[in-house]
Amino acid sequence: AVLWPASAPRALGTADQAAAAPPPAAATPGGGCLMPFGVPLVVALAADGTTTATTHGYVEAAATGPRPAGAALIAGLTYLPAFLTEVEADALQAEVDGVPWDGDNKSRRTQQYGFGFHWRNRHSNALAHMPAPRDRLPAGSSAPLQRLSDLGLVPGAHFDQCIVNDFVGGQGIKPHIDREFFGEEVVGFSLGDPVVMDFRSIDTGEVRALLLEPRSALILTGPARWRWQHAISPSPMTLYRGCKTKRGRRTSFTFRTIRDFDVVCRE
């Protein structure tokens, strides 16, 4: 993929317009090219009208998804557009909006179910049993999770931890891999506005970008789960394949299975 590091958009002056062509590209470790930092958005779009903005820079359309059925963006990544019905999505949104949000994460509002994650504890006492009514997963998640199981997409998974993230005003999430005490499958549901989630290989540095659409489901297993960081760039705007849209509210549901109960706080 061609990767152009992102910078804040700005107006071009006369001197800029005269030199609007992007500078020569250099090879990156994972293949493709990396343009120098500081490329303005208008220059990136002039060079490639189908570019997508990510946490790591601008990528060409060939490095983005969704892709046609059967064409994997990353090994181990499964993307299901419009997987939740409108009724299921509305019920889930109403369920979490009907209870208080937590403010312990500085970058966004959250809710946790089953087991709560201690943000500052790296291993010991990293998880704690949540009190009722959050001692179990959101009721509205039961049917779509069961449907994933029935389709054979999460074989043997028994999800017991859920975090709900509420993104408003262009909030994002830093590049990360879900913690090692969670199991093989990580499942995500997206409600509200679409957003680009980007992925970076920790082995090659390659970058991919996926548009998460309303009511979609995302499954990470294998390499996508363990060898690729995922992130959402903090920005008031989404740039996807050359199209700019203002970002509003998005609510995500992430479901995981605890595989190492030694990290659970003993009360």
Side-chain angles (χ1 to χ4, degrees), residues 47-251:
D48 180 358
T50 63
T51 193
T52 295
T54 76
T55 304
H56 309 282
Y58 301 109
V59 296
E60 60 186 351
T64 66
R67 292 182 172 179
L73 184 68
I74 298 171
L77 184 154
T78 301
Y79 178 73
L80 303 170
F83 179 76
L84 277 72
T85 67
E86 291 185 5
V87 171
E88 289 172 335
D90 290 346
L92 263 179
Q93 190 71 69
E95 184 175 355
V96 296
D97 283 342
V99 296
W101 289 90
D102 300 329
D104 58 343
N105 187 310
K106 294 181 180 180
S107 63
R108 59 196 175 277
R109 300 192 303 174
T110 64
Q111 292 179 16
Q112 300 195 68
Y113 293 83
F115 292 83
F117 185 75
H118 288 252
W119 304 104
R120 295 176 180 82
N121 292 359
R122 302 304 300 171
H123 189 78
S124 62
N125 297 334
L127 294 169
H129 291 274
M130 294 296 295
R134 294 197 199 173
D135 56 341
R136 60 192 67 191
L137 302 188
S141 67
S142 178
L145 286 175
Q146 184 60 52
R147 199 155 64 247
L148 288 177
S149 180
D150 293 343
L151 290 170
L153 297 173
V154 286
H158 300 285
F159 298 106
D160 49 17
Q161 199 272 342
C162 172
I163 182 168
V164 184
N165 287 290
D166 199 46
F167 299 90
V168 294
Q171 292 172 320
I173 188 167
K174 295 179 180 179
H176 68 284
I177 294 174
D178 284 36
R179 298 290 296 279
E180 70 286 347
F181 47 71
F182 292 120
E184 172 66 20
E185 299 94 351
V186 175
V187 168
F189 296 156
S190 290
L191 305 183
D193 279 9
V195 74
V196 170
M197 175 172 280
D198 54 77
F199 298 84
R200 181 180 182 276
S201 170
I202 63 174
D203 298 310
T204 67
E206 293 176 87
V207 175
R208 300 289 183 266
L210 175 65
L211 183 68
L212 299 178
E213 300 159 295
R215 300 189 291 114
S216 64
L218 175 68
I219 306 172
L220 303 180
T221 63
R225 161 72 175 95
W226 300 106
R227 308 304 300 174
W228 290 73
Q229 294 179 324
H230 54 278
I232 295 173
S233 176
S235 172
M237 178 190 70
T238 290
L239 175 65
Y240 174 71
R241 294 180 179 174
C243 296
K244 296 184 290 183
T245 57
K246 185 177 180 180
R247 275 165 57 176
R249 183 188 183 191
R250 172 180 173 266
T251 306

